[in-house]
Amino acid sequence: NAGVMQNPRHLVRRRGQEARLRCSPMKGHSHVYWYRQLPEEGLKFMVYLQKENIIDESGMPKERFSAEFPKEGPSILRIQQVVRGDSAAYFCASSPPIGGTDTQYFGPGTRLTVL
Amino acid sequence: AQSVTQLDSHVSVSEGTPVLLRCNYSSSYSPSLFWYVQHPNKGLQLLLKYTSAATLVKGINGFEAEFKKSETSFHLTKPSAHMSDAAEYFCVVSALRGGGKLIFGQGTELSVKP
């Protein structure tokens, strides 16, 4: 059973460009979470999604950031018009649909560098 | 609101000696608590999880943690450190009962000296 997959592992963007980060949850998992880790800090929750639904986006910046988890395909975290402060590691996690939904399994992360 | 505080930002031990990483939590209900480990430039790996079934939780790689409600603590221990244990360790609490977002501590960097 493959783990949570994220791609790309490393992403370099210039200021003003768009960044798209992808996350494929573990097989059988229907809950996806995105977290951001700024340098020298712990992980901060961004958004919690189920298939075609955003359940909790309380950690998402109000502008430029969006997330989706379509019926088919991976979850996407999209950052428009990136700025240097967006440079961070972005981690995706998934959990199963029934029971134990607070146990989350993390992917390897996407390290975004904004030049 | 739920929160966790990791009391040490950095811990250094010698190989073969015990490891103690300290974590205090704050929760309005009996929480789900976790310890995750992150090796450099890697993702996070679940070490262990507490969900009220037993106060002493055994995890992978010889780690264990004890839930102490009276002290609101969930310290992580290992009897004998190995060089491969050098990593960042995060104490984590579930924000909501039964699921939802996780709240992370600031992390403790563990160094292991030969």
Side-chain angles (χ1 to χ4, degrees), chain A:
Chain A
N1 187 9
V4 178
M5 300 176 68
Q6 292 187 248
N7 67 81
R9 296 289 305 275
H10 300 273
L11 182 61
V12 179
R13 286 287 178 265
R14 297 190 180 281
R15 280 178 297 171
Q17 292 184 318
E18 179 180 285
R20 281 183 181 239
L21 289 62
R22 297 175 193 79
C23 169
S24 296
M26 288 179 69
K27 187 176 181 180
H29 286 192
S30 57
H31 299 221
V32 166
Y33 311 79
W34 286 93
Y35 295 83
R36 178 166 63 176
Q37 184 177 33
L38 295 169
E40 307 299 325
E41 293 188 14
L43 279 73
K44 295 288 195 291
F45 168 79
M46 299 181 75
V47 62
Y48 165 28
L49 309 106
Q50 295 178 18
K51 289 282 188 180
E52 301 184 281
N53 283 306
I54 296 175
I55 306 303
D56 181 356
E57 56 180 348
S58 58
M60 287 283 268
K62 298 297 182 207
E63 298 177 345
R64 303 188 297 109
F65 285 72
S66 62
E68 63 175 2
F69 188 18
K71 187 176 181 180
E72 301 291 338
S75 175
I76 306 288
L77 179 67
R78 182 184 180 203
I79 311 172
Q80 296 178 286
Q81 299 176 321
V82 296
V83 300
R84 290 232 174 97
D86 297 333
S87 295
Y90 292 82
F91 290 95
C92 169
S94 73
S95 65
I98 300 174
T101 57
D102 56 359
T103 299
Q104 297 178 20
Y105 299 89
F106 283 79
T110 294
R111 281 155 181 83
L112 172 65
T113 301
V114 179
L115 302 178

Side-chain angles (χ1 to χ4, degrees), chain B:
Chain B
Q2 277 57 252
S3 67
V4 288
T5 301
Q6 293 184 243
L7 302 176
D8 306 291
S9 58
H10 187 263
V11 170
S12 182
V13 301
S14 296
E15 190 174 22
T17 64
V19 175
L20 170 63
L21 305 183
R22 299 182 296 165
C23 173
N24 286 351
Y25 71 90
S26 174
S27 178
S28 55
Y29 58 86
S30 182
S32 290
L33 291 161
F34 311 80
W35 277 97
Y36 282 86
V37 60
Q38 183 181 29
H39 287 90
N41 297 315
K42 301 287 187 184
L44 284 85
Q45 182 181 20
L46 179 66
L47 278 178
L48 50 82
K49 170 184 176 181
Y50 166 77
T51 54
S52 76
T55 56
L56 184 62
V57 183
K58 293 190 182 298
I60 62 172
N61 300 334
F63 284 94
E64 62 182 36
E66 186 172 7
F67 175 76
K68 291 187 176 180
K69 186 175 181 179
S70 60
E71 299 176 9
T72 61
S73 68
F74 190 57
H75 302 334
L76 182 71
T77 61
K78 183 174 181 177
S80 176
H82 191 273
M83 295 296 291
S84 61
D85 294 328
E88 188 91 16
Y89 291 79
F90 293 99
C91 182
V92 181
V93 65
S94 182
L96 298 171
R97 186 176 294 171
K101 65 184 179 185
L102 299 178
I103 297 171
F104 282 74
Q106 286 298 98
T108 297
E109 183 180 355
L110 176 65
S111 300
V112 182
K113 298 175 289 185

